[in-house]
Amino acid sequence: MPPTLPPPSMLLPPLICGTATFNDQYNPDPYTLPTTAIVHEALSLGVRAFDTSPYYGPAEDLLGAALNTPFVHENFPRRDYFLLTKVGRITGDEFDYSASWVRHSVQRSLERLHTDYLDVVYCHDVEFVSPEEVLTAVTELRRIRDETSVINYIGISGYPVTTLCDLAEMILDESGEPLDVVMSYANFTLQNTRLASVALPRLKAAGVKVVLNASVLGMGLLRRKGVPIGGKGDFHPSPKELRAAIQAASDWSDKQDIKDKRLEKVAIRWAMENWIHEGAGVGSRGDPASGIPWTRERIEKYGGNKLGVSVMGVSNVEELRETMRVWRSILDGLEDGEKTAIDSGRGTDERGWSLNRQKQVRTIATGIRNVLGNWVDYTWPSPPPGFVNQRSAPSVPAPLPTPDASPDPLPKRSTINESSDLRRLSQI
């Protein structure tokens, strides 16, 4: 992190909109999703950060198109929202962490997202490559950061939390500089809380500033109707026995005498509400999206404590609105929640409702975990046994083979064409 930048824990919002759903893993045809409407509604509701990746098929293009519109240009200056993307993962079995590919990937993301800088760049799914390859990629990202102004913060993402910890420690030991951010997915959920129990102490000790909790439904595992089946069929790595246990837990939840007892409703609230507290030590003080219309907020207004950062994923506007209703109810239950509810126009009774819902969710979550039994804290192997990286030799910049066919390039904004930093990046 350059010395002129504040730590990401001062800036990143505690709720981030993920775009992995803008992909045919989660949906049959991502081009039919209302992606522009989702992004515009998210911004209007106070969401100020978007996470994406070249690996998510057309997600970068779709997000970039949604942001490159008069509505966004006229109402949301680029400085008012954060863009997080990734490098390194190309397809399900292709990874390239070489310096040349990292440079190519960063430049392409800038172009797709119609921006002249990226707030965060992660090395994507680091468990699939060697520690040496991860160090190479992080070193190159830092060089780009230091020699241009197109990257602000650098981190890693992946599934096995012990691998994330090992790599965060290795990078600190080898470079003397800690990672700015680490993103873990499907490891702080109703089914699995190893991010808190195993990883947090080590990541804090390794100097990581912010740890993001993504995929609070375990890549769609914690749903009444089962894992999502997109255009590529059943991609989920969970074994059938775990799926059966989740179904049994869902059936048990449906029989309980409370409102909103569906498994995914309980799972979303439980994970976000608990991570706000569990992840606070590696959380953020950015805009909390508490619901004050068209207002740029700071956590300091509501007590100043950091909040654990969650990444949400949605496929339509109603899912977004429902998730935001849950998020704001969670904020209403915080120490200064009554003031938050009043300032946002939700009323004085919202804190009491939130605290009551919190008790309901805790009770039903305990029952769900009892049903899961030995499957609590189970993790599937990643990479799977026998995995071989099919990217045997780096080649740049051949057209990127993504899981989905990418659309034609979108028209670039003049700021990209005129950016000396972008031209310089292409020459490094």
Side-chain angles (χ1 to χ4, degrees), residues 18-299:
T19 65
T21 51
F22 296 4
N23 189 3
D24 68 356
Q25 279 188 324
Y26 288 91
N27 289 285
D29 182 358
Y31 294 103
T32 65
L33 298 178
T35 51
T36 295
I38 290 170
V39 172
H40 289 184
E41 183 72 2
L43 287 167
S44 299
L45 290 171
V47 175
R48 293 294 179 266
F50 299 89
D51 175 83
T52 189
S53 172
Y55 171 62
Y56 301 156
E60 280 191 325
D61 279 312
L62 294 170
L63 175 59
L67 295 170
N68 189 26
T69 55
F71 172 77
V72 176
H73 297 327
E74 293 167 8
N75 295 292
F76 303 99
R78 175 64 181 86
R79 66 178 181 274
D80 282 357
Y81 60 87
F82 296 80
L83 293 177
L84 302 81
T85 192
K86 307 175 184 72
V87 298
R89 183 157 201 175
I90 299 171
T91 66
D93 58 3
E94 283 192 88
F95 292 79
D96 192 338
Y97 274 52
S98 67
S100 58
W101 186 263
V102 166
R103 291 193 299 272
H104 166 66
S105 186
V106 167
Q107 181 170 349
R108 183 188 52 191
S109 292
L110 290 164
E111 294 170 351
R112 288 176 169 179
L113 294 168
H114 301 274
T115 184
D116 54 7
Y117 70 97
L118 300 165
D119 295 284
V120 176
V121 178
Y122 299 101
C123 297
H124 197 173
D125 288 344
V126 288
E127 69 267 26
F128 286 83
V129 299
S130 69
E132 293 77 17
E133 289 172 285
V134 176
L135 184 59
T136 294
V138 168
T139 300
E140 183 61 21
L141 288 170
R142 287 174 172 173
R143 188 164 80 94
I144 295 169
R145 175 201 65 187
D146 294 341
E147 296 183 7
T148 76
S149 58
V150 301
I151 300 175
N152 289 340
Y153 304 106
I154 294 160
I156 60 174
S157 73
Y159 178 65
V161 295
T162 53
T163 301
L164 295 175
C165 294
D166 291 344
L167 290 170
E169 292 163 353
M170 181 271 292
I171 290 166
L172 177 61
D173 290 343
E174 293 291 330
S175 69
E177 179 185 348
L179 292 166
D180 298 313
V181 291
V182 167
M183 185 167 75
S184 165
Y185 69 91
N187 272 285
F188 191 81
T189 71
L190 258 181
Q191 180 265 324
N192 170 20
T193 58
R194 286 172 55 81
L195 178 58
S197 61
V198 174
L200 278 192
R202 292 179 61 186
L203 292 173
K204 288 180 185 177
V208 176
K209 310 299 189 305
V210 178
V211 177
L212 293 81
N213 181 41
S215 196
V216 298
L217 292 181
M219 300 166 63
L221 177 67
L222 294 166
R223 305 192 312 166
R224 176 192 281 168
K225 60 183 180 181
V227 301
I229 306 297
K232 292 188 175 298
D234 186 349
F235 74 94
H236 204 284
S238 57
K240 64 179 184 300
E241 294 86 357
L242 173 57
R243 298 185 191 196
I246 295 293
Q247 187 60 59
S250 178
D251 293 343
W252 177 88
S253 184
D254 284 342
K255 297 174 183 176
Q256 305 313 301
D257 187 22
I258 66 167
K259 187 179 179 181
D260 292 334
K261 57 196 173 184
R262 197 167 75 238
L263 175 62
E264 50 265 47
K265 285 188 173 251
V266 174
I268 289 172
R269 176 154 190 146
W270 185 92
M272 292 200 302
E273 190 158 45
N274 282 278
W275 187 248
I276 272 185
H277 303 287
E278 293 280 353
V282 283
S284 175
R285 291 187 172 92
D287 189 333
S290 68
I292 302 175
W294 300 91
T295 300
R296 190 177 185 181
E297 300 179 83
R298 298 287 296 170
I299 289 289

